[in-house]
Amino acid sequence: MCGIFGYCGQQRAAPIIIEGLKRLEYRGYDSFGIAVADRNITVRKKEGRISQGMPNIPRLKGTTGIGHTRWATHGIPSDGNAHPHLDCHGAIAVVHNGIIQNYASLKRELEERGHTFSSDTDTEVIPHLLEEEFKGDLAAAVAAILPRLEGSYAILAIAEGHREIIAARCRSPLVLGIGDRASLAASDVNPLLEHTERVIFLEDGDIAAMSAEKIRIWHEGTPVERPVSRIDWSVEEVKKGGFPHYMLKEIYEQPEVFSSTIRALKEEEPPEIVNGIRGVTIVACGTSYHAALLFRYLVEAHCGFPARVELASEFKYTSPPKGDLVIGVSQSGETADTLAAIQKASMSGHPTLAVTNVLGSTITRIADDTLFMRAGPEISVAATKSFIAELAVFSHLVDLMSGGVLGKDLPRVHLAISEALLVDLSPAVELCRDAGSMFFVGRGPYFPLALEGALKMKEITYIHAEGYAAGEIKHGPFALLSAETPVVALCPPDDAYPVMFSNIREMKARGTPMIVVGVSGNRDLRDVADVFISLPEGSSLFHILGSTTVMQLLAYRTAVALGRDIDQPRNLAKSVTVE
Ligand code: F6R
């Protein structure tokens, strides 16, 4: 939800923190701030984006500091609500990612004891609580106040005159980096890669004291050692590499992402947990949920047992069948709803499997086993390559559980993505850019793809777009069809083709501009479509990957035509760590 970054070393902290926050901006970008501890604490904070800059920050002295880029939850985006927050004397500064659920009662108590608040945030209770406990040992003060906080947090705190950062986490991500005579902390590994490949993933309940020389960690008052992991993502991977936007770069990475995910999974021992299962329930949000819906079609077609898919946020109101393997799918591994769903499944005795892109993420710790996608860092807020990587993991799983039904296809199928990257979408973009509203329709596995196409379109172009099962469109949405409502129809040459073709003609008869995605050489589709997007012939999976790429690019190119902020669309954040 928000990004936090801390540096404690030999160099000036401020410029390092600014660069770190820029790499975390995708997690939140409505305001930002930094605090540096020298003899005093100096704070600079501001509404707006860190990439728009703030003069004088880099000149701040001090080699210990913390920073934050915010996605507002409590209190509007403003200079005052931006982090860091201070105690009454400006002697302690705190940045926080997460939500303190009991902040209102804590704030009332603190105000009754004479504390003055200067923001509407939940976070500000933390420095005021610390002020009451701090007697020279900040780690001890943090340990004393944490039991009073309900909710989720990743916290970094500094105190004037101290060359130490105190870090604590509970259900919000926090990674520590071991640098060259420096310690660092960040919400994810991306901004640490400039400084080190050696990282420590804190556990829930851990408190760490970080100085330039060392990192000490305690859990429930006892010193503990946490393993040091090596991250093999390169700095280049987290840069734009000549592309105008991360989203486009990430779409172009997809052929490699699909094939390297399959390659890596094939080299691993298959997860024992899938042996002998009789049913699966998959929980996920957003794009990951759409990938899961598609998985359901593959499982039921090829594996001979049922698959249910639940929105993670709704899972708590449902009960999966006894014995089902519950699979949580999350690119970030930090989505609060998905974590809560996996936790609930574990508590009710279901075996659980995580599918994620991020080593050390929270979901990997709460699930019984994990399958990693190999998407590499995904920076654009709109998920693209992680969807493809999820499809790769699912294809591999289906292959495992079906005795190899997809096997022959898997090493070549990513070529569909490369082909789709070459398609000219200009006529389709012309139809979409002026649309007030759009529909995306498909049948079978193309229904979840239609949902995903609509999600991509709405989140980066701000055009209202809905995904529909093609058969449902005449049960109400027909009333909305008009010359101003383009429809994107996914019409591959499968069993559903004849009825899909009829649906396209019915929509066309209402004057609707039709953008149809089918296979090359199909004269009927070409004749009925206003814009026909043709893909090469291939297997079902081949066509699924090609159609996905076409819809991602259609959303991307339309957003470019409309001049939207593609990598950081309004009101969104990459990782949604609140329920
Ligand atoms: C859409 C998008 C979101 C995420 C969703 C789940 O482009 O990115 O819908 O898919 O927030 O995120 P993860 O997969 O990290 O759990």
Side-chain angles (χ1 to χ4, degrees), residues 23 190 193-194 232-243 246 249-250 253 376-377 379 385:
R23 296 220 187 289
N190 295 341
L193 297 174
E194 299 268 352
D232 57 8
W233 291 353
S234 70
V235 178
E236 270 321 298
E237 279 180 294
V238 290
K239 293 191 172 162
K240 274 193 209 144
F243 285 89
Y246 282 112
K249 170 180 180 258
E250 289 162 6
E253 285 170 1
I379 308 294
K385 63 176 178 169

Side-chain angles (χ1 to χ4, degrees), residues 135-438:
K135 313 270 181 311
D137 181 346
L138 191 57
V142 169
I145 67 146
L146 290 186
R148 305 210 49 203
L149 305 181
E150 289 167 20
S152 59
Y153 51 78
I155 296 169
L156 299 179
I158 53 174
E160 66 181 14
H162 287 249
R163 293 209 170 156
E164 215 175 34
I165 298 175
I166 307 303
R169 79 156 263 174
C170 178
R171 291 190 282 144
S172 275
L174 190 55
V175 192
L176 310 186
I178 306 170
D180 178 18
R181 290 184 302 156
S183 298
L184 303 104
S187 300
D188 68 40
V189 294
N190 295 341
L192 301 178
L193 297 174
E194 299 268 352
H195 306 276
T196 180
E197 55 182 25
R198 297 166 65 219
V199 302
I200 297 172
F201 296 101
L202 288 185
E203 302 277 334
D204 279 348
D206 282 356
I207 296 176
M210 304 158 54
S211 66
E213 294 77 32
K214 60 178 184 287
I215 295 176
R216 291 167 297 150
I217 303 173
W218 297 266
H219 190 86
E220 292 173 357
T222 310
V224 287
E225 295 278 329
R226 296 286 175 223
V228 177
S229 308
R230 277 187 189 274
I231 301 296
D232 57 8
W233 291 353
S234 70
V235 178
E236 270 321 298
E237 279 180 294
V238 290
K239 293 191 172 162
K240 274 193 209 144
F243 285 89
H245 299 100
Y246 282 112
M247 181 174 177
L248 189 62
K249 170 180 180 258
E250 289 162 6
I251 292 172
Y252 271 77
E253 285 170 1
Q254 292 184 143
E256 175 56 24
V257 162
F258 190 91
S259 56
S260 55
T261 300
I262 294 286
R263 249 194 332 269
L265 292 173
K266 273 187 191 307
E267 280 164 18
E268 285 170 11
E269 282 296 307
E272 272 181 31
I273 204 159
V274 302
N275 293 342
I277 54 164
R278 315 279 296 264
V280 286
T281 296
I282 310 119
V283 291
C285 303
T287 290
S288 296
Y289 172 72
H290 298 153
L293 286 174
L294 213 150
F295 179 50
R296 173 184 156 211
Y297 286 94
L298 298 178
V299 168
E300 297 198 341
H302 301 299
C303 304
F305 54 76
R308 287 172 15 130
V309 185
E310 300 288 352
L311 284 166
S313 55
E314 288 294 308
F315 185 68
K316 50 168 113 51
Y317 315 112
T318 68
S319 307
K322 272 206 167 62
D324 259 20
L325 171 67
V326 177
I327 305 180
V329 190
S330 174
Q331 183 282 131
S332 59
E334 302 294 349
T335 299
D337 287 318
T338 311
L339 298 181
I342 288 294
Q343 240 142 7
K344 178 191 157 183
S346 294
M347 279 162 65
S348 54
H350 289 87
T352 54
L353 177 67
V355 174
T356 186
N357 192 33
V358 181
L359 189 79
S361 59
T362 307
I363 201 167
T364 63
R365 286 169 234 192
I366 58 182
D368 297 326
D369 208 342
T370 301
L371 282 177
F372 285 103
M373 23 174 141
R374 271 47 175 204
E378 188 176 64
I379 308 294
S380 172
V381 164
T384 53
K385 63 176 178 169
S386 62
F387 181 76
I388 292 292
E390 286 165 355
L391 296 190
V393 174
F394 289 147
S395 306
H396 173 75
L397 266 180
V398 167
D399 207 42
L400 280 179
M401 298 186 305
S402 65
V405 74
L406 297 175
K408 278 208 254 90
D409 217 14
L410 293 182
R412 297 176 303 109
V413 77
H414 62 278
L415 297 175
I417 305 170
S418 312
E419 298 274 0
L421 291 172
L422 305 174
V423 171
D424 175 16
L425 291 171
S426 332
V429 171
E430 280 308 304
L431 276 185
C432 297
R433 59 178 292 171
D434 298 322
S437 185
M438 289 185 69

